[in-house]
Amino acid sequence: MDNREWTRRGLLKATAAGAALASVPAALGAPGTAAAAERTTGGRPERVALTNVRVFDGRALSAPRTVVIDGGVIGLSPFGARTIDGKGATLLPGLIDAHVHLEDVGTLEQLTGYGVTTALDMACWPPSLVDSLRHRPGLTDIRSAGVPATAPGSTESMLPGFPQSDLVDNPAQAPGFVAARVAEGSDYIKIIVDVPGGLDQATINALSAVAHAYGKLANAHTVTSAAVDEALLAGVDVIHHVPLDTAVTSAVAARYAAGRRVSVPTLTVMEGFGALGIPGLSYAAARDSVIALHKAGVRILAGTDSNRKQGIPVQPAFGAGLHHELELLVAAGLSTVDALRATTVLPAQTFGLHDRGVISPGRRADLVLVDGDPVSDIRTTRNIQRVWAGGIEYAPVA
Ligand SMILES: [Zn+2]
């Protein structure tokens, strides 16, 4: 179905603008094309000394110094290492996209080429596809929610190949749902909070509570202010997207802050939906939500909602989309340092990825060398000279 048809179906589902948004799918994963060409990097971890390079340390750029890549991690001694002169360039920790929907190895390759060395998938199925994308040396390292929790009859449930046996109808099904995801290897739990007609409050509450009982983060999909309210009530950890109907108010932002909720606004995909011209929905509401959340001191992470799902009208590009997201976050009031933190140290902390997100001896050698100074101009992150994923160099996208 084409974009117009998709939008029309969404609008037919409900009369209110907010209800129309319930049709914005969160989970776009589906069996990928196994035939996707797998580019051989031929790379192996090596010893490299990057000299004269300024390093983003999470607060500012350091004076020019030497960073050693030793196998798969950041090392200490440059002795005997191949030397690369990093004069004029900035070394960033490998970028983290906190919201994608993986499709196949090609999507991993595209992410890697843009310096996105970690991708947090927020719904993908079947589990065998997720497994096939894990642990691929030299490519983007992933984490995944696997199958998301959604109600029978939801837009999500009608996406191609959605496992109907995993639909959730009531709170009593929450323990079984979460246990099944944990057994499949899901790294965290994704809950589709779409109103009206989606999961009810009691079921969202139960899913969040059971996720926590398993030590898993609860991630909510919310694209209306009503859904945000439900997610906050349920005590989820990470609230993905921001409302397109009414901007988050300062009072709601204060609730995020008080509960230490984390926001992944995904402005890139919100911008795309705003441009569809659906009455009552606007990108301005999304942008103003980020302004309110940032002002309240809420932790904000960079995520794109990149996907290649047939029939979904907005498909942010893998890799390139994250650089656009950083620009949108800066346009919404984050400092360039805030934006860089939103795609490095902060998602690593939030998702417990303690081996990455900063450039420090012993951490994974996930690195992006860019020409120029992204603290002065965030667009500089696009000027990628070199990328290392787990110490293996990967040719950047031209
Ligand atoms: Zn999504």
Side-chain angles (χ1 to χ4, degrees):
M1 92 190 128
D2 66 15
N3 294 357
R4 183 168 303 169
E5 173 67 7
W6 187 94
T7 305
R8 188 182 65 80
R9 272 177 48 152
L11 288 170
L12 284 176
K13 279 188 67 178
T15 50
L21 262 180
S23 67
V24 176
L28 307 158
T33 50
E38 186 174 347
R39 244 189 303 168
T40 305
T41 65
R44 287 181 304 178
E46 57 174 342
R47 295 194 74 222
V48 175
L50 278 158
T51 58
N52 304 312
V53 71
R54 289 188 297 173
V55 174
F56 177 69
D57 67 2
R59 294 177 300 279
L61 294 192
S62 73
R65 64 182 182 94
T66 297
V67 173
V68 177
I69 299 171
D70 190 353
V73 298
I74 307 296
L76 281 170
S77 169
F79 185 74
R82 179 165 70 94
T83 298
I84 294 172
D85 187 358
K87 191 178 182 192
T90 298
L91 192 63
L92 301 172
L95 307 181
I96 301 172
D97 188 331
H99 192 132
V100 302
H101 298 281
L102 296 169
E103 190 80 18
D104 54 27
V105 176
T107 56
L108 290 185
E109 292 174 337
Q110 200 170 338
L111 288 163
T112 316
Y114 278 96
V116 183
T117 54
T118 301
L120 305 178
D121 178 89
M122 285 298 151
C124 184
W125 59 81
S128 58
L129 171 62
V130 177
D131 288 343
S132 75
L133 300 175
R134 293 185 188 271
H135 310 303
R136 286 180 172 265
L139 289 179
T140 301
D141 193 36
I142 70 159
R143 298 295 183 276
S144 179
V147 179
T150 193
S154 69
T155 307
E156 190 83 14
S157 71
M158 293 178 222
L159 287 172
F162 191 95
Q164 300 296 311
S165 59
D166 288 323
L167 293 170
V168 184
D169 213 6
N170 58 67
Q173 291 175 336
F177 175 86
V178 175
R181 301 293 81 72
V182 172
E184 288 166 357
S186 292
D187 299 285
Y188 34 78
I189 301 300
K190 179 77 179 296
I191 306 167
I192 308 301
V193 182
D194 48 1
V195 287
L199 298 166
D200 63 20
Q201 184 72 57
T203 305
I204 299 164
N205 295 352
L207 286 162
S208 179
V210 177
H212 292 158
Y214 278 94
K216 301 293 184 187
L217 290 177
N219 292 266
H221 159 97
T222 63
V223 288
T224 61
S225 41
V228 165
D229 192 54
E230 293 192 347
L232 286 167
L233 279 171
V236 304
D237 306 284
V238 188
I239 299 178
H240 294 256
H241 314 300
V242 275
L244 278 167
D245 55 349
T246 311
V248 165
T249 62
S250 57
V252 170
R255 290 174 63 200
Y256 272 77
R260 302 185 71 81
R261 312 298 169 215
V262 174
S263 170
V264 185
T266 67
L267 287 177
T268 298
V269 77
M270 298 289 105
E271 181 185 50
F273 277 106
L276 294 179
I278 301 171
L281 310 182
S282 77
Y283 177 67
R287 182 203 57 212
D288 291 349
S289 293
V290 172
I291 291 171
L293 292 167
H294 183 55
K295 200 171 167 189
V298 174
R299 176 176 288 190
I300 291 171
L301 309 182
T304 57
D305 215 352
S306 294
N307 72 87
R308 284 184 186 162
K309 194 68 197 162
Q310 192 177 11
I312 301 300
V314 183
Q315 303 193 338
F318 286 86
L322 185 64
H323 298 273
H324 185 62
E325 183 73 16
L326 298 180
E327 293 162 15
L328 293 179
L329 289 172
V330 169
L334 273 70
S335 69
T336 54
V337 167
D338 290 333
L340 293 170
R341 288 172 62 79
T343 190
T344 55
V345 62
L346 296 182
Q349 284 179 359
T350 300
F351 285 86
L353 307 176
H354 302 300
D355 60 348
R356 67 196 73 187
V358 295
I359 298 172
S360 174
R363 306 292 181 114
R364 272 176 67 94
D366 288 344
L367 298 163
V368 188
L369 187 69
V370 302
D371 188 22
D373 174 3
V375 172
S376 295
D377 181 353
I378 197 66
R379 293 171 298 182
T380 305
T381 63
R382 293 178 183 272
N383 302 339
I384 301 176
Q385 294 183 331
R386 293 173 182 268
V387 176
W388 286 268
I392 299 174
E393 188 163 4
Y394 191 87
V397 172

